[in-house]
Amino acid sequence: MDIRRNTFTRSIKKQRLAGFFSQVIFVVTSQRNKWFLSSVIFFGLGCALYFLLPARISVAEISVAVILSVCAFWMVRSKAWLAFLMQLMASITAGCLISALHTELGPENIPTRTLYSTEITGTVIGIEPRGSRMRVTLDPTNIQGLSDDWNVRLSFLGDSALSIGDEVRVKARLFPLRPPSVPGDPDFARNLYFSQIGATGFAFGRQFEVLSEKDAYENNGIGSIVEHLRQKTSDVINRYVTAPEAGIAKALIIGERGDVTAEIAEDLRKSGLAHLLAISGLHMGLLCGTVFFLVRLGLAAIPGIALRYPVKKWAALAAAGAGFIYLGLSGATVPTQRAFVMLLVVWIALLLDRRAISLRLVGVAALVVLVLRPDAVLGASFQLSFAAVGALVAFYDGPGRRWLDRHGGRPWHERLVVYMAGLLITSVIVTVVTAPIIGFHFGRISVLGIVANLVAIPIMAFWVMPLIVLTLALMPFGLAGGVLALMAPGLTVLIKTASLVAAQEWGLWYVAGLGDVATACLLLAIAWAVIWRDQIALVVSGPLLIIAIIAQVTHQTPDVLVSGDQESWAVYDREQEILHLADGLGDFQKSLWMSRFGIRPEDEAARIRHCKNDPCLVVTGTGDKETRTIVATSLANPFYACRNADLVITLKNDLPIRNCRQDGARVMIDDDVLWWQGGVALDTAKLDQGRSSFETVRAISGHWPWIVIGGKAAPSQR
């Protein structure tokens, strides 16, 4: 009897399992319209995986993988679920291929050593104010001793008389692209490389000469013309709007945030309003929506036109044109590109009398942006932008649409309440979806951002953005001054709102130690669930969530950091929650490492210790878990340090590694490691487990053309 019962029970379980998977296969087969969105996710995953490889794979090798994946898809096309899997595999390999192509098309022969004094001749193609300094991008025609197949970004004095299109000769110091200081720090060099910038530096005071003035900008292509218009717009704003509102106005109109003071920028970040400075879907949507409304209203007011012609489609064309102009003026950043592509698809759908707002629209925009800049997938801008828009479209295309339709015929005061409720729901959705991304990239999450956006978004929608439209329309006629004056009080309200919310310290949560694997799996799980919203979502999202939890529980943040510049270091005491830093550490690097360990700026005095001694002894932990670390610029007597410390770090000279290990030191980091391998990150908890290895920038970031360590960079494969 027991044997029969057990056999029957196993049979029932097999039937249920078979029924579940047959239902999953049915969902995959019957909802092929969701295959495209799933493929977009895996395409982006392929772009990211390529840049996370320890070394490059050639374009030829990846092309073979793409061809094999496509052939496999064709061979199993009769079985839907196998075809779906092969399509996802092909999407991953296609993403890797696009990333490889862009990598190989990047600048060649970029410098690998510092030129302490060189003369550069080139054309000014970009100007970005940075307070008392000015960041200028040059298209060089000659650099002493170097190739000039790439652009150069130099820092000039803020009052330097330069304009877009000027041909200049400048005496400057030129640096190679700087790799991340330590494993886990932002890789700014990658963004510069894909922006065709091969070196950065600064001009020596006023040692520059303008060879020919800006009248030559017309000969430098459409890019220079656009930059010239941006500079003209900046001059008009400076003429009619005073600081600090002028900085916000330039950020909203031309995407230039250099004149936004550090204090205001910090308040905007703390209050959850930093997205206002990054021209994205909100700005593009409001501007194009305003143009669409005004043009359609004006044409509809003329019966002879409204009754004979498709004024709605004319308004869509006008809005698309306005969006294109705004895209150029704003600098065409990743969020602006995404927003423009999405709105362009909306206007095309209106012209074709098709439904416009859908997740497919978001997928098309993501695909276009990734094809143009595959490295954007690793940036916070791309991730925040598409996470927020995707979640909002999914909501308002489903339950949100039904909820709004029920209130469509209500009186105006009830519709106002519905509008405010919609803003609240929108803020909650965006805050929840973007919280893991913000926490991972910036180490803090603004809870009160929900409240701040309830004030800021209506001001942007009904006050600031309509006036921006009028400003851009009237600027060619020299009539923008009055409109800008009307806009300034609205910008003041935004600044005051950010300052008030940022002052509430309890509304800003500092988080630390979010692992990249855990964050990636969590975001993939959310994206998959948003797309499918069916049983198949559980098949993928469930395991991804489990992996994310396990990865985060087992993740341990390194507590010893030594930068590749051989000047900066940090040691974190987990028990005392004290961060020991090198004396004289720069503010920017200090802020990065403080956020990495979840330390608030206002707690700096209590939780930061600057070591003024050289050598410096740092003791962390207690009892059996005590770890003694000695950090020095150079050691006159390394053997004494090796006998009295677990970790011995010298920044400028080598250590006798074998003798040091015999004397009792468990980890040695010296000039040889830092010069050839870059910055170092070490988890001292692994010492107690018998593992003393550390991570280096070279090992983590891989052998890429933009990673210059020890005077060497990976050669081009072209």
Side-chain angles (χ1 to χ4, degrees):
M1 183 65 69
D2 291 338
I3 295 176
R4 292 179 180 177
R5 184 180 297 112
N6 292 337
T7 304
F8 177 77
T9 303
R10 287 195 296 269
S11 178
I12 292 296
K13 290 180 178 178
K14 289 180 180 179
Q15 291 178 9
R16 290 178 178 175
L17 187 62
F20 174 77
F21 281 105
S22 64
Q23 181 65 24
V24 170
I25 293 174
F26 172 76
V27 171
V28 172
T29 306
S30 60
Q31 299 189 34
R32 298 200 178 201
N33 59 318
K34 296 180 180 178
W35 288 23
F36 169 73
L37 292 173
S38 303
S39 298
V40 172
I41 291 178
F42 275 74
F43 182 85
L45 185 60
C47 293
L49 289 176
Y50 178 80
F51 293 117
L52 296 177
L53 293 172
R56 284 181 294 175
I57 302 177
S58 69
V59 173
E61 293 171 337
I62 300 178
S63 299
V64 172
V66 173
I67 293 172
L68 292 176
S69 300
V70 173
C71 291
F73 169 80
W74 182 258
M75 293 174 63
V76 301
R77 66 189 184 280
S78 58
K79 293 185 178 181
W81 66 277
L82 277 177
F84 179 59
L85 293 178
M86 290 301 102
Q87 180 173 315
L88 297 183
M89 181 61 68
S91 300
I92 289 181
T93 55
C96 291
L97 179 60
I98 288 295
S99 298
L101 288 171
H102 277 267
T103 301
E104 297 309 316
L105 293 175
E108 292 186 277
N109 303 320
I110 62 175
T112 57
R113 58 186 178 87
T114 299
L115 296 181
Y116 291 95
S117 179
T118 186
E119 187 176 88
I120 304 172
T121 303
T123 304
V124 177
I125 60 175
I127 297 178
E128 303 171 62
R130 286 292 184 271
S132 61
R133 304 290 296 181
M134 177 190 298
R135 195 162 68 183
V136 177
T137 303
L138 295 178
D139 180 9
T141 55
N142 181 59
I143 303 177
Q144 284 184 348
L146 287 177
S147 169
D148 56 359
D149 295 331
W150 26 264
N151 297 331
V152 174
R153 179 176 290 174
L154 296 177
S155 175
F156 283 74
L157 294 175
D159 58 352
S160 299
L162 292 174
S163 300
I164 301 295
D166 287 351
E167 185 180 1
V168 299
R169 181 188 296 121
V170 56
K171 199 79 168 179
R173 179 166 297 173
L174 211 57
F175 302 99
L177 299 182
R178 182 179 179 181
S181 296
V182 296
D185 272 10
D187 189 356
F188 300 111
R190 181 178 58 237
N191 181 62
L192 291 172
Y193 177 85
F194 284 101
S195 299
Q196 298 298 314
I197 294 176
T200 61
F202 62 87
F204 290 121
R206 305 187 187 280
Q207 297 184 42
F208 68 91
E209 176 186 2
V210 178
L211 302 179
S212 62
E213 296 189 349
K214 61 186 177 182
D215 293 338
Y217 79 90
E218 296 178 354
N219 300 322
N220 297 324
I222 187 66
S224 295
I225 296 176
V226 171
E227 287 294 333
H228 181 75
L229 292 176
R230 295 181 71 215
Q231 187 64 37
K232 284 291 187 182
T233 304
S234 176
D235 294 340
V236 172
I237 295 172
N238 286 332
R239 190 179 310 136
Y240 294 105
V241 183
T242 58
E245 287 79 6
I248 302 295
K250 283 191 276 189
L252 295 176
I253 298 176
I254 60 175
E256 176 51 63
R257 290 177 280 180
D259 286 344
V260 178
T261 64
E263 181 180 357
I264 292 177
E266 183 68 12
D267 287 343
L268 289 168
R269 284 190 288 266
K270 287 183 176 180
S271 61
L273 297 180
H275 64 91
L276 296 181
L277 295 184
I279 298 176
S280 58
L282 174 66
H283 310 73
M284 186 70 74
L286 290 175
L287 183 135
C288 292
T290 301
V291 172
F292 179 80
F293 171 78
L294 293 176
V295 172
R296 189 179 181 187
L297 179 64
L299 294 175
I302 306 174
I305 296 178
L307 296 175
R308 297 179 182 178
Y309 301 101
V311 295
K312 182 178 180 181
K313 296 182 179 181
W314 288 8
L317 290 173
F324 182 75
I325 294 173
Y326 193 39
L327 174 69
L329 285 176
S330 62
T333 59
V334 170
T336 318
Q337 293 175 26
R338 185 269 309 161
F340 177 73
V341 170
M342 291 184 66
L343 286 170
L344 185 61
V345 175
V346 170
W347 306 134
I348 293 175
L350 287 176
L351 293 174
L352 300 177
D353 297 318
R354 300 289 297 273
R355 180 184 173 191
I357 304 299
S358 67
L359 282 175
R360 182 178 292 270
L361 166 68
V362 182
V364 171
L367 195 60
V368 171
V369 172
L370 288 175
V371 168
L372 295 176
R373 282 293 297 265
D375 63 300
V377 71
L378 297 177
S381 175
F382 177 91
Q383 296 170 12
L384 290 171
S385 182
F386 280 97
V389 172
L392 291 177
V393 170
F395 175 75
Y396 285 107
D397 196 34
R401 177 184 294 274
R402 295 189 294 271
W403 174 63
L404 291 175
D405 288 343
R406 289 198 301 269
H407 298 84
R410 298 293 182 89
W412 70 269
H413 58 278
E414 293 186 14
R415 290 202 300 270
L416 178 61
V417 174
V418 171
Y419 171 76
M420 297 304 296
L423 279 182
L424 179 61
I425 294 173
T426 298
S427 297
V428 171
I429 292 174
V430 171
T431 300
V432 171
V433 172
T434 59
I437 304 172
I438 297 174
F440 175 75
H441 286 283
F442 307 110
R444 54 190 182 183
I445 302 170
S446 176
V447 181
L448 287 179
I450 297 174
V451 178
N453 279 283
L454 289 178
V455 177
I457 292 179
I459 292 175
M460 286 290 296
F462 301 114
W463 188 342
V464 176
M465 290 309 296
L467 292 179
I468 287 179
V469 173
L470 290 177
T471 298
L472 296 178
L474 297 176
M475 194 170 292
F477 307 101
L479 303 175
V483 181
L484 287 171
L486 292 175
M487 186 196 306
L491 301 178
T492 303
V493 174
L494 293 178
I495 294 172
K496 296 296 184 183
T497 301
S499 176
L500 179 63
V501 174
Q504 315 306 315
E505 296 181 3
W506 60 271
L508 190 64
W509 294 356
Y510 281 74
V511 296
L514 292 180
D516 48 2
V517 174
T519 305
C521 289
L522 177 60
L523 294 177
L524 285 174
I526 294 174
W528 194 265
V530 166
I531 290 173
W532 285 94
R533 288 173 278 183
D534 214 318
Q535 287 181 331
I536 192 174
L538 297 176
V539 176
V540 177
S541 297
L544 283 174
L545 287 175
I546 295 174
I547 294 173
I549 294 172
I550 295 175
Q552 186 58 41
V553 170
T554 57
H555 175 71
Q556 187 70 53
T557 303
D559 51 4
V560 177
L561 306 174
V562 186
S563 69
D565 61 10
Q566 300 175 272
E567 295 179 358
S568 308
W569 56 268
V571 178
Y572 186 64
D573 188 340
R574 291 194 177 97
E575 292 188 10
Q576 301 294 326
E577 295 186 341
I578 298 296
L579 181 62
H580 300 267
L581 297 174
D583 190 36
L585 181 65
D587 291 337
F588 178 73
Q589 190 66 54
K590 181 169 66 175
S591 66
L592 279 180
W593 287 352
M594 286 176 61
S595 64
R596 186 166 181 158
F597 294 104
I599 300 177
R600 294 172 173 267
E602 52 269 20
D603 295 338
E604 180 177 344
R607 298 186 57 187
I608 298 294
R609 299 288 185 273
H610 290 277
C611 187
K612 300 182 181 299
N613 299 323
D614 190 6
C616 179
L617 173 64
V618 179
V619 181
T620 58
T622 56
D624 296 336
K625 295 184 178 180
E626 181 181 278
T627 302
R628 298 171 63 86
T629 302
I630 290 181
V631 187
T633 302
S634 61
L635 285 172
N637 187 358
F639 300 104
Y640 176 83
C642 295
R643 287 192 296 268
N644 291 275
D646 301 291
L647 277 71
V648 180
I649 303 170
T650 62
L651 305 177
K652 301 293 186 180
N653 66 337
D654 295 340
L655 285 172
I657 301 296
R658 181 179 299 178
N659 294 334
C660 248
R661 186 173 289 112
Q662 292 175 352
D663 286 344
R666 289 189 281 180
V667 176
M668 286 73 67
I669 300 171
D670 59 6
D671 168 80
D672 191 53
V673 172
L674 298 175
W675 175 255
W676 295 110
Q677 299 298 321
V680 172
L682 171 68
D683 179 11
T684 56
K686 294 181 179 179
L687 295 176
D688 300 325
Q689 303 169 5
R691 295 180 292 166
S692 60
S693 60
F694 47 79
E695 296 178 341
T696 66
V697 171
R698 175 69 77 189
I700 297 300
S701 297
H703 299 265
W704 299 101
W706 58 87
I707 298 294
V708 180
I709 299 177
K712 293 183 178 181
S716 172
Q717 296 181 350
R718 275 179 275 184

